[in-house]
Amino acid sequence: MEHHSATPGIHQIVVLGGGYAGMMATARLARRCRRLPVRITLVNPSEWFVERLRTHQLAAGQELRRHRIPDVLANTGVVFRRGAATAIDTRQRTITLDDAATLSYDTLVYALGSRTDTDAVPGAADHALTLEAPDAIRDRLAGLTAAGGGTVTVVGNGLTGIEAAAEIAEQHPALTVTLLGAGEPGAMMGDRARAHLVRALDRFGITQRSGVHVSKVLPGGVELDSGEFLASDLTVWTAGVRVSPLAAASGIATDDAGLVVTDGTLRSVSHPEVYAVGDAASVRLPWGQVHGTCQSGIPTGAYVGDAIARRLRGRKVRPFRFGYVHQPVSLGRKDAVIQFTRADDRATRWYLKGGAAVRYKESVSSSPVWSFRMSRRFNVPVTISKGGRITRAAMID
């Protein structure tokens, strides 16, 4: 069994997860700790960085540049370890990987993120595809288009489902696309932004079914809780997310959803040597709980990288501050809508649509790889808003 024991005099930092938050935390740590006796190890099951904000584009058949994590972190001193964590021993401060290797840590950054929840509805895991498998969706869509047409059902009409349905309908006009959901598409947006979104879905010919719940997914379609059956050649599941059970199984304090409960500096309330970032963290601010998005995930990663480095130098750490700014939604490649928000993500009266929204979204949702690379040289600003006075608090040791 491989075992990486702690090296005397070297502070071992392990980052679990190479998504948006984990990569930003790693890049920030590499710069901030470059003159400290620190070893940083990033653990991820794949050597490829996945841009989750763009998986709907890959699924619809577009070609995007892909990035290897070791290449992005080249010349930083970070050790990349390909593997998946299967257990965390918080007493011994060791992590067991799926190849039976163990890693020791003094500080752990828990950045395992979230995945689409296909466990809540019977048949979803077996008969639906998620955006975590964009290549499989792309191949199925190409097959349907080559056959002259077919039906695609996107389950979940949140922002992810909306983007997926619009992208598929635009790239594959011969297919009939239906968007299902319990709520209204764009329900969190203001009236004018929501109206533009609905018009765009109508323009693509997408059938919208709101206020419905899928009770079962079958090989040839979905069954609603009303008993109605909707035939579907391809079902794309975007309804709900779940996090890894690893933290809870390891005895780290989590909330009912399995998120790591954190203090004001994003440390675990039960294990202060563990920090949680991104979708894996339960982060509460004076205005409420932060919900998992790239908009909040990358700032948590940058903040934790800075916080760990400051503590290693014996300095004080200010509490994490963050406020939402917008809800950006792509509607195919030529349209988008941007709902501007208050810090707590409530819609304001301001929004963008059309070409202006496309350009805005591209500027704020473009590949974050450049910021990871630039973070090797200087601290890249990643938080658009800190939420104003409502998020201010005293210094924390």
Side-chain angles (χ1 to χ4, degrees):
M1 176 187 297
E2 176 186 0
H3 179 75
H4 291 205
S5 59
T7 303
I10 302 295
H11 191 93
Q12 304 282 348
I13 302 175
V14 176
V15 181
L16 286 185
Y20 288 94
M23 284 290 288
M24 178 53 74
T26 303
R28 201 78 158 210
L29 280 164
R31 171 170 169 74
R32 289 291 202 178
C33 298
R34 66 191 184 282
R35 294 188 176 93
L36 297 174
V38 165
R39 175 188 171 99
I40 304 166
T41 303
L42 172 63
V43 180
N44 197 63
S46 169
E47 65 178 5
W48 296 97
F49 173 68
V50 177
E51 294 188 50
R52 288 184 64 178
L53 289 181
R54 293 175 176 267
T55 51
H56 61 287
Q57 294 177 243
L58 292 172
Q62 297 174 47
E63 293 294 331
L64 300 176
R65 184 179 178 185
R66 305 199 184 201
H67 303 273
R68 290 182 66 251
I69 292 176
D71 294 340
V72 176
L73 297 175
N75 302 316
T76 63
V78 172
V79 176
F80 175 72
R81 181 65 165 82
R82 183 174 178 178
T86 58
I88 301 172
D89 186 330
T90 56
R91 290 188 177 182
Q92 297 295 322
R93 297 192 183 182
T94 59
I95 301 160
T96 302
L97 303 183
D98 52 359
D99 61 359
T102 60
L103 300 175
S104 297
Y105 67 87
D106 297 297
T107 298
L108 173 63
V109 179
Y110 190 88
L112 292 183
S114 64
R115 294 182 62 83
T116 306
D117 186 3
T118 56
D119 294 335
V121 175
D126 297 323
H127 306 303
L129 294 177
T130 72
L131 292 175
E132 280 92 5
D135 293 344
I137 296 175
R138 178 201 61 202
D139 293 344
R140 291 281 296 277
L141 291 172
L144 292 174
T145 296
T151 57
V152 179
T153 301
V154 179
V155 180
N157 60 4
L159 302 188
T160 301
I162 291 168
E163 290 191 323
E167 206 76 45
I168 291 169
E170 181 178 69
Q171 298 295 322
H172 299 273
L175 304 182
T176 300
V177 180
T178 298
L179 178 64
L180 304 179
E184 295 290 331
M188 73 295 295
M189 295 181 164
D191 292 342
R192 292 182 296 171
R194 187 187 311 119
H196 179 79
L197 185 152
V198 171
R199 285 195 298 270
L201 296 178
D202 289 340
R203 184 176 69 250
F204 287 128
I206 297 171
T207 301
Q208 302 164 54
R209 296 283 302 272
S210 303
V212 298
H213 296 82
V214 174
S215 60
K216 186 182 299 184
V217 182
L218 301 168
V222 299
E223 184 178 295
L224 306 183
D225 54 4
S226 64
E228 180 183 0
F229 177 77
L230 299 179
S232 179
D233 296 308
L234 169 61
T235 300
V236 178
W237 195 268
T238 71
V241 296
R242 58 183 173 88
V243 299
S244 168
L246 183 60
S250 304
I252 299 171
T254 58
D255 64 11
D256 292 342
L259 307 179
V260 176
V261 180
T262 62
D263 67 10
T265 61
L266 305 191
R267 293 186 300 184
S268 161
V269 296
S270 61
H271 296 78
E273 71 279 4
V274 177
Y275 292 74
V277 296
D279 292 2
S282 175
V283 181
R284 292 202 63 83
L285 294 175
W287 50 259
Q289 182 158 338
V290 175
H291 55 266
T293 65
C294 175
Q295 187 180 172
S296 58
I298 287 181
T300 63
Y303 170 87
V304 160
D306 294 349
I308 292 172
R310 288 187 67 85
R311 284 198 168 103
L312 289 176
R313 289 185 168 90
R315 298 177 182 174
K316 292 184 180 295
V317 176
R318 291 185 180 275
F320 177 66
R321 292 177 57 202
F322 170 79
Y324 289 98
V325 175
H326 52 222
Q327 298 162 355
V329 186
S330 63
L331 301 168
R333 293 298 86 207
K334 299 178 181 179
D335 197 4
V337 61
I338 313 295
Q339 173 65 67
F340 293 102
T341 70
R342 297 178 176 87
D344 60 3
D345 211 26
R346 289 180 297 148
T348 68
R349 59 181 293 190
W350 306 107
Y351 77 106
L352 286 178
K353 64 180 180 179
V358 171
R359 291 187 292 274
Y360 180 94
K361 188 175 191 303
E362 183 60 28
S363 69
V364 300
S365 301
S366 60
S367 174
V369 171
W370 73 268
S371 64
F372 302 151
R373 295 185 189 278
M374 290 298 100
S375 291
R376 298 181 300 188
R377 302 177 182 176
F378 56 87
N379 290 330
V380 178
V382 295
T383 304
I384 300 176
S385 170
K386 292 187 177 180
R389 295 180 181 178
I390 193 172
T391 62
R392 291 177 183 165
M395 297 284 281
I396 295 179
D397 291 329

